[in-house]
Amino acid sequence: MRLTLMAAALMLVSVQANASIEQQLTQCAATADKLDRLICYDKLAESVKGVTPALASTQVAPATVATVAAPTAVALAATAPQAPAANTVDDFGMEAKRVQENTVDKIYLEVQSITEDPYGAIKVTFTNGQVWKQTDGRKFNLKQGEKVYIEKAALGSFLMGTDERNAKARVKRLN
């Protein structure tokens, strides 16, 4: 019976000490000035050191860590999309593959107009309104009304070519 009462009293004291520390932590966190906030945290650390070592090591420290970490875990749980854990583990590493499955790799367009800059690179306007510019220095001949394709290449670049010939030019979209 005495042991039970003693354990209950010890738990009550530790809960009260924990609540006090939580209040002091929130007061320190609310301090706007950096130096004053640091001084507040230092005073709080000194007051925690003053608590008996047995009480500090068994009750206060774990409870303080748990209460400080709990709001972070709640915030992360609220912002993260809820998905089953097994599905998340099964899909790990497949994000890039899933993105590739839902994209178009090659489109065919008809040339509306062609302009050439002083360096020989062409700017092509297509009938759908897209404008693409050649980024490499090779000569690439096109005619108005010609049907061309633009396909994805390595590292996010694009290549423009025609089915009638093997030549391709590296291009980037302007609009």
Side-chain angles (χ1 to χ4, degrees):
M1 180 75 172
R2 272 189 190 168
L3 188 58
T4 307
L5 283 173
M6 223 161 159
L10 183 63
M11 288 176 59
L12 182 61
V13 168
S14 68
V15 169
Q16 289 175 348
N18 187 29
S20 172
I21 290 173
E22 287 178 5
Q23 290 172 348
Q24 291 174 356
L25 277 173
T26 55
Q27 288 174 352
C28 290
T31 305
D33 185 44
K34 292 178 184 178
L35 183 60
D36 291 340
R37 188 170 46 245
L38 179 61
I39 292 170
C40 181
Y41 283 132
D42 287 342
K43 286 180 183 176
L44 181 61
E46 287 298 320
S47 70
V48 171
K49 285 182 184 176
V51 177
T52 59
L55 180 63
S57 65
T58 58
Q59 296 294 328
V60 176
T64 303
V65 171
T67 56
V68 171
T72 307
V74 171
L76 289 176
T79 58
Q82 299 297 326
N87 191 20
T88 304
V89 172
D90 292 341
D91 291 342
F92 183 75
M94 297 296 287
E95 296 87 6
K97 187 166 183 94
R98 189 165 297 107
V99 169
Q100 289 176 355
E101 290 173 355
N102 298 331
T103 61
V104 178
D105 291 333
K106 190 175 191 178
I107 59 172
Y108 283 87
L109 302 166
E110 187 177 338
V111 177
Q112 180 179 347
S113 66
I114 305 163
T115 57
E116 192 170 318
D117 70 1
Y119 301 105
I122 58 173
K123 185 164 65 169
V124 183
T125 305
F126 295 102
T127 54
N128 68 353
Q130 291 183 5
V131 179
W132 292 75
K133 182 179 179 179
Q134 182 180 2
T135 58
D136 60 4
R138 291 182 266 166
K139 184 73 174 163
F140 192 76
N141 293 325
L142 280 178
K143 297 177 189 160
Q144 187 174 353
E146 192 172 1
K147 195 160 187 101
V148 298
Y149 64 84
I150 298 178
E151 64 183 354
K152 287 186 178 181
L155 301 173
S157 63
F158 297 92
L159 295 173
M160 178 172 56
T162 62
D163 287 333
E164 290 82 32
R165 58 186 174 183
N166 222 8
K168 295 179 185 177
R170 194 162 304 274
V171 293
K172 71 175 181 178
R173 187 169 175 180
L174 297 179
N175 73 342

